[in-house]
Amino acid sequence: MVKFTVGVAMTPLDQLPGLARTAEECGFSSIALPDSLFFMEKQTVDYPYTPDGSRMWTPDTPWVDPLIAAAAMGAVTSTIGFYTQVLKLGSRNPVLLARQVGSVANLTGNRFGFGVGIGWAPEEFEWCGAPYAKRGKRVDEMIEVIKLILGGGMVEHHGEFFDFDRLQMSPAPSKPVPFYIGGHTDVALRRAARVGDGWTSAMIKFDDLTAVIDRLRVLRAEYGRSDLPFEIQAVSVDRFGSSGYAELADAGVTDIIVVPWIFDGHGFDSPLEAKQESLHRFADKYIHGRNAV
């Protein structure tokens, strides 16, 4: 049966613990946590996931570091999972990130998945002291470094972008942290097929999604990874309701990311109680009810 995850982008920070508890009560699989470092007054490149390249948020839109949010929400729940969707690796340091990811995985009892992407804005790289050039190759090496450290024991790395002698971070997570790779380009899909435990989408139409899933099947076979478990996490913009969710599941989606209060006409800043009612209504209909996928 397909899983349902709650997306909490642009949600007021004080609502997050309550939403996590309610989502767990309702039977949602996970909470998807977005990432945005800051709002630059002037953007030098287009945002890639809107038709006109503009951002869907303002300088006053609330954001929280997703790793801190996962730890906070994990502290008030016991079974629901959390994953970043997606954390922008390119502007960060992989050794520091390994410590943070390992901490969240341990504090949540292995309920954390690491969804990662490169990042789209040059400002996020440059103003955080990271180069924008060669960002794809740099992120590939970052994933290698983070996985190496999270594996536990004394490790070292000597690469093109990062270099360190033997070190150990303890405790290592008792189970491997799954890595979900974001991005819609062929380079990103190759990265997901090569090193990911799944692929996670931005907003996407069904026809484009099925093309991506087909491409991932080909690439995973190419890399000899067809027999390994692999998640397809989708934010569909044109398939909803019991028939739409069934179409997504039939296409190969394993995890549908939804924002139930938007379906009920409530905005991102609507009261917590309204959002909790929407979570219950959605779960009754699609997770527990006779219309469940």
Side-chain angles (χ1 to χ4, degrees):
M1 181 178 293
V2 69
K3 297 178 288 188
F4 287 97
T5 287
V6 179
V8 293
M10 299 181 280
T11 294
L13 274 55
D14 60 350
Q15 295 184 0
L16 293 176
L19 288 175
R21 284 192 294 263
T22 302
E24 181 174 83
E25 293 168 4
C26 290
F28 286 89
S29 173
S30 302
I31 303 286
L33 298 163
D35 181 37
S36 180
L37 290 172
F38 49 74
F39 188 98
M40 53 276 191
E41 187 174 21
K42 297 178 180 179
Q43 63 183 84
T44 56
V45 300
D46 287 345
Y47 179 65
Y49 300 115
T50 56
D52 62 358
S54 64
R55 289 164 284 183
M56 300 177 294
W57 58 96
T58 72
D60 297 319
T61 300
W63 297 90
V64 64
D65 184 286
L67 296 169
I68 294 174
M73 299 166 87
V76 298
T77 57
S78 58
T79 59
I80 196 167
F82 307 92
Y83 56 81
T84 48
Q85 212 265 338
V86 291
L87 187 136
K88 302 168 184 177
L89 280 186
S91 54
R92 291 168 161 99
N93 177 280
V95 179
L96 293 175
L97 265 179
R99 162 53 68 208
Q100 294 170 312
V101 171
S103 297
V104 174
N106 277 300
L107 290 172
T108 59
N110 299 306
R111 289 186 284 139
F112 180 71
F114 198 31
V116 300
I118 293 178
W120 64 277
E123 292 84 356
E124 289 185 335
F125 290 75
E126 295 162 2
W127 297 352
C128 290
Y132 190 62
K134 296 185 178 180
R135 55 195 178 277
K137 291 182 65 178
R138 187 170 177 271
V139 162
D140 284 338
E141 190 172 326
M142 291 181 74
I143 293 172
E144 180 182 348
V145 167
I146 296 168
K147 286 189 172 187
L148 177 69
I149 295 174
L150 290 179
M154 195 69 65
V155 299
E156 62 183 296
H157 177 84
H158 306 285
E160 179 180 354
F161 303 99
F162 304 99
D163 187 279
F164 53 86
D165 290 331
R166 288 169 62 78
L167 60 80
Q168 180 171 335
M169 289 187 183
S170 297
S174 59
K175 296 181 180 179
V177 174
F179 277 62
Y180 308 128
I181 310 299
H184 295 188
T185 66
D186 198 64
V187 173
L189 299 183
R190 284 189 172 275
R191 183 178 295 115
R194 187 177 67 251
V195 302
D197 300 292
W199 173 79
T200 191
S201 82
M203 296 177 294
I204 192 169
K205 293 182 178 179
F206 182 75
D207 289 346
D208 295 330
L209 176 62
T210 55
V212 165
I213 293 173
D214 289 342
R215 180 62 175 155
L216 284 167
R217 289 193 183 104
V218 171
L219 292 172
R220 294 184 67 229
E222 181 180 316
Y223 291 114
R225 303 185 75 230
S226 295
D227 295 335
L228 298 176
F230 194 81
E231 296 282 346
I232 300 290
Q233 302 163 344
V235 184
S236 173
V237 298
D238 58 1
R239 291 296 187 276
F240 308 102
S242 56
S243 60
Y245 299 144
E247 279 190 81
L248 292 171
D250 289 343
V253 173
T254 62
D255 188 347
I256 302 172
I257 302 171
V258 295
V259 186
W261 47 92
I262 297 297
F263 301 149
D264 291 340
H266 303 305
F268 294 108
D269 58 351
S270 59
L272 173 61
E273 293 76 14
K275 294 178 180 177
Q276 290 172 318
E277 290 175 2
S278 293
L279 288 172
H280 280 288
R281 187 177 299 110
F282 185 96
D284 288 345
K285 188 170 185 179
Y286 300 114
I287 298 178
H288 306 301
R290 54 189 174 86
N291 291 328
V293 178

